[in-house]
Amino acid sequence: MGMIRRLVAAGLCGAALAAVLAAPAQAGSADGVRAGWRLKDSGTDARFRGLAAVSRRTAWVAGTKGTVLRTRDGGRSWRNVSPPGAEGLEFRDIEAFGVRRAVVLAIGEGEASRVFVTDDGGTTWSEAFRNPDPRAFYDCLTFFDARHGIALSDPVDGKYRILGTGDGGRTWRVLPSEGMPDAQPGEAAFAASGQCLVSAGRRDAWFATGGAATARVFHTADRGRTWSVADAPLPAGDPARGVFALAFRDTRHGLAVGGDYRPDQPSPRAAAVTADGGAAWTPATQPPPAYRSGVAWLPYSHRAALAVGPTGTDVTADGGRSWRALDPGSYDSVDCAPDGGCWASGEKGRIARLEPTR
C-alpha cells in the first residue's frame, strides 16, 4: 500500500481515497492512511440539500433562505453568491459547470418553483424559469452536458412533468407527457438532496419516487421524451417512504438509497443496485442501517460509493451490495468531482470534504 502514500503526497487524493475506502472493513486503514469527512466553516446556519462538486478546490452549495455559497480554495473560505431577493426561497438542487457557471433550483408549489442561472460566479443571476402552474412542484434537475438538461415536477394530471432546456438552463419548456407512464396514487419525488433526478451519458436519465404503494425508478434514454419504469425494493406504502436518491456511474450501473425519513421509524431495506440501466433492482444484502438521502460513486473505482443521511455516512466497496459505517455526522447530500474531490452538505451549515487522515 505504499502507492497510497505516494498518491496522497502527490495530491492525487481522489485515487488514494477510493483505494482506502475500498479496503476491507476489518483493516480500517491502508498503509497508515484513513479517509473521513473534514468539516469546513460555511459561516451560516442554512441547510444545504443542493450540492455540486466541481473539483477538490471548487464546490457550490444551495439551501434554505435562498442561500448559495461557493468555494474556490477547498473550503477554507466561502463566498455568499445568493441571488438577490431570494431569501424566501428553498433551494434544493444546484448544477455547476466550473467556477463561473451554475444553475440552481428552488422548490415549492406554483411560483415558488424557480430556476436561476449565473455565468459570472454568482455575481449576477438571471431568473430562467418561474413555474406558472399551481399544480406543479419541481423537485430536482440534471444536465446531460453543458447545454442539455431536464427538471422534474411531481405529477400533474396523473403524470410526472418534465422541463427541458437546450441552452444551458437559460430557457425551459414543458416536454410532452405522452411518453410518461401514469403515476401511482399518492406518488411523488423527494427533494431531499438534489438526487431524485440524475443522468449518465448524453441521453440517459433516471428519477426516483416514493409515497405510494411501491417505490419506483423511471428511466429515459432520449433526454426525457419517453420513459420506462421499474419497481424498487425499498420501503414504500407511506408518504414518508421511498427512494430518495440515485447515482449512476454509467448507463447501466446504478445505486438507489432511501427508506423512511422519520427519525423514529426503521428503514430495513435502505439501498438497492442495478446492473441493467434500472430495468431491475436488487436489494443490498447489507444495507445502510437507517434512512439515507444522498449517494455518490467515487471516481477511480467501479465499486466504491458513499451514502449519507441524518444519522451518518456509509461506504460500499462492492458496488452497493454491502455497506459499512464511515462517519456518524449528519449530511443530506454527497457529490464527487472527476478529480476525486468528494463533498457532503447538510443541516446547520454543515459542509465537509472527504480527506485522508492518519
Side-chain angles (χ1 to χ4, degrees):
M1 285 293 186
M3 173 190 70
I4 294 177
R5 275 193 181 142
R6 291 194 295 273
L7 287 169
V8 174
L12 302 178
C13 292
L17 290 172
V20 170
L21 290 173
Q26 62 270 23
S29 64
D31 202 25
V33 179
R34 289 178 176 268
W37 294 120
R38 180 168 296 178
L39 283 166
K40 310 295 181 179
D41 184 7
S42 69
T44 178
D45 63 354
R47 185 167 194 167
F48 295 117
R49 295 183 185 268
L51 168 64
V54 176
S55 68
R56 293 190 67 249
R57 294 185 59 81
T58 299
W60 300 66
V61 292
T64 57
K65 297 178 285 189
T67 307
V68 179
L69 305 182
R70 186 198 63 178
T71 184
R72 298 180 62 182
D73 56 12
R76 286 192 294 273
S77 63
W78 293 86
R79 180 185 172 195
N80 188 328
V81 295
S82 306
E87 295 82 3
L89 298 177
E90 290 282 330
F91 290 137
R92 294 292 181 92
D93 199 356
I94 186 167
E95 303 291 328
F97 304 89
V99 298
R100 297 184 62 80
R101 191 159 78 86
V103 182
V104 64
L105 171 72
I107 68 158
E109 296 178 346
E111 292 190 351
S113 286
R114 305 181 195 182
V115 177
F116 296 84
V117 179
T118 182
D119 292 300
D120 56 13
T123 300
T124 62
W125 293 85
S126 60
E127 185 179 296
F129 173 77
R130 182 180 295 205
N131 173 36
D133 191 336
R135 301 170 300 168
F137 185 115
Y138 286 88
D139 298 287
C140 298
L141 54 80
T142 191
F143 278 79
F144 304 97
D145 53 39
R147 294 183 58 81
H148 300 91
I150 55 176
L152 169 72
S153 166
D154 288 335
V156 177
D157 294 330
K159 292 180 181 290
Y160 288 92
R161 177 170 289 181
I162 303 295
L163 285 180
T165 181
D167 57 8
R170 295 171 181 84
T171 61
W172 297 82
R173 66 182 182 91
V174 176
L175 300 185
S177 63
E178 290 79 7
M180 178 67 72
D182 291 340
Q184 300 176 94
E187 191 178 29
F190 294 105
S193 62
Q195 295 176 324
C196 64
L197 172 68
V198 300
S199 59
R202 296 182 59 83
R203 306 186 69 82
D204 287 82
W206 299 260
F207 69 82
T209 76
T214 303
R216 303 197 293 176
V217 177
F218 289 66
H219 171 232
T220 180
D222 56 12
R223 292 181 179 169
R225 271 65 179 180
T226 61
W227 296 82
S228 59
V229 62
D231 292 348
L234 272 74
D238 187 278
R241 299 173 184 164
V243 181
F244 281 72
L246 300 168
F248 277 78
R249 64 174 173 84
D250 54 38
T251 58
R252 296 191 62 80
H253 298 89
L255 304 170
V257 300
D260 190 318
Y261 70 75
R262 296 171 293 190
D264 61 339
Q265 295 295 314
S267 295
R269 307 181 313 279
V273 302
T274 183
D276 58 9
W281 292 85
T282 302
T285 56
Q286 184 179 335
Y291 156 73
R292 295 293 179 253
S293 56
V295 62
W297 291 95
L298 270 78
Y300 307 103
S301 172
H302 289 171
R303 300 171 64 81
L306 298 163
V308 301
T311 61
T313 298
D314 303 287
V315 60
T316 179
D318 56 12
R321 288 185 292 275
S322 64
W323 297 82
R324 61 180 172 87
L326 178 71
D327 182 277
S330 173
Y331 297 101
D332 293 315
S333 188
V334 59
D335 192 26
C336 293
D339 71 350
C342 291
W343 298 79
S345 62
E347 62 180 346
K348 299 178 181 178
R350 288 172 62 88
I351 308 172
R353 190 178 69 175
L354 196 66
E355 299 180 5
T357 59
R358 293 186 181 276

